[in-house]
Structure formats: structure tokens, C-alpha cells
Amino acid sequence: MLDGGPYRRAVRSGRLVREAMFRAVVEDGVIWADGRHERIDVLLFATGFRPRMPWLARLGVLDAEGCPRQRNGVALDLPGLYFVGLSRQRNFASATLRGVGPDAAYVTDLIVRGAPAAIRVGRGSVA
């Protein structure tokens, strides 16, 4: 992730809370590495060019090839699940550095309109 400072400032301000990566996704939230279950309203994945997300399979949001069923970064089968960086997510450049920015802005706008004040960021995630 390239950061000119806004991400670090958001973490320092307490607006973003950094957690170790969760170990499982369940219908109403996540199970953290320490075993805690937490209900969450929004889950945003910045997966990169070839996503591999077998831990989402039990939620029924993946197609037969293991790719998320989504439109414009919004999961079709589970409200509150979003994606950024998927190939052809919104256009031909979605999985590139050039295209992920506009897609991230689009998805972020959707989240901000309906998300809680704090968005948790797991290790290896992109805000």
C-alpha cells in the first residue's frame, strides 16, 4: 500500500482500529485470531489481482471457481460485504494500481453512507 500519511494519521487518531487478521468469517461478523466473535456491519476486502478466499466459501458468496459473486465491488449474496481490486470489478483497470483508486473511492462512498464510525483494518488489508 502506498500511503502519503492519511492512513497513518487515521490509525493514530483512533478512527481505524488495527487488529490481527481474523481467522474466519461468519454470517454476522468475524472470529478473530484470539477466538473472539465480533459482529460487524461492513467487511471490505482489497484482494488484488487473483483473489483466493476459501474462508468465504461457507457464507455462499463464491462462485464455482471460488471468485466472489459481486457487482461493482458489492457482494450479491451478503449485505455489508465489499471488494476492491478484483479484475474487471468496475472496468478493465480495476485490478491495477490505476484502476483500484477509483473503485476504492466508489466502494468507500457506499460504506460511508451506511457504515459504523470505525472500520477495522486487518493486517495485510488496505483501507
Side-chain angles (χ1 to χ4, degrees):
M1 179 177 95
L2 301 175
D3 177 30
Y7 177 76
R8 281 188 297 271
R9 284 192 296 276
V11 170
R12 279 193 294 260
S13 76
R15 288 188 1 230
L16 298 176
V17 179
R18 186 175 179 120
E19 295 271 358
M21 184 65 176
F22 53 82
R23 73 171 183 220
V25 178
V26 293
E27 189 169 323
D28 66 343
V30 295
I31 306 295
W32 293 105
D34 64 7
R36 287 179 295 125
H37 170 265
E38 182 176 5
R39 291 180 52 88
I40 59 171
D41 297 316
V42 174
L43 187 55
L44 170 69
F45 289 96
T47 60
F49 183 67
R50 293 201 172 121
R52 186 176 176 306
M53 299 173 273
W55 31 266
L56 288 178
R58 68 192 264 184
L59 296 175
V61 298
L62 303 177
D63 65 19
E65 287 78 40
C67 295
R69 285 190 302 269
Q70 57 83 33
R71 181 171 294 119
N72 295 327
V74 179
L76 297 177
D77 304 305
L78 186 62
L81 179 60
Y82 299 87
F83 301 90
V84 172
L86 298 173
S87 183
R88 298 206 173 267
Q89 177 176 314
R90 293 183 58 229
N91 63 56
F92 70 93
S94 288
T96 69
L97 287 176
R98 184 180 92 178
V100 74
D103 287 359
Y106 175 83
V107 169
T108 300
D109 184 54
L110 295 175
I111 292 169
V112 167
R113 285 192 256 149
I119 299 172
R120 295 192 179 275
V121 178
R123 189 171 298 137
S125 299
V126 179

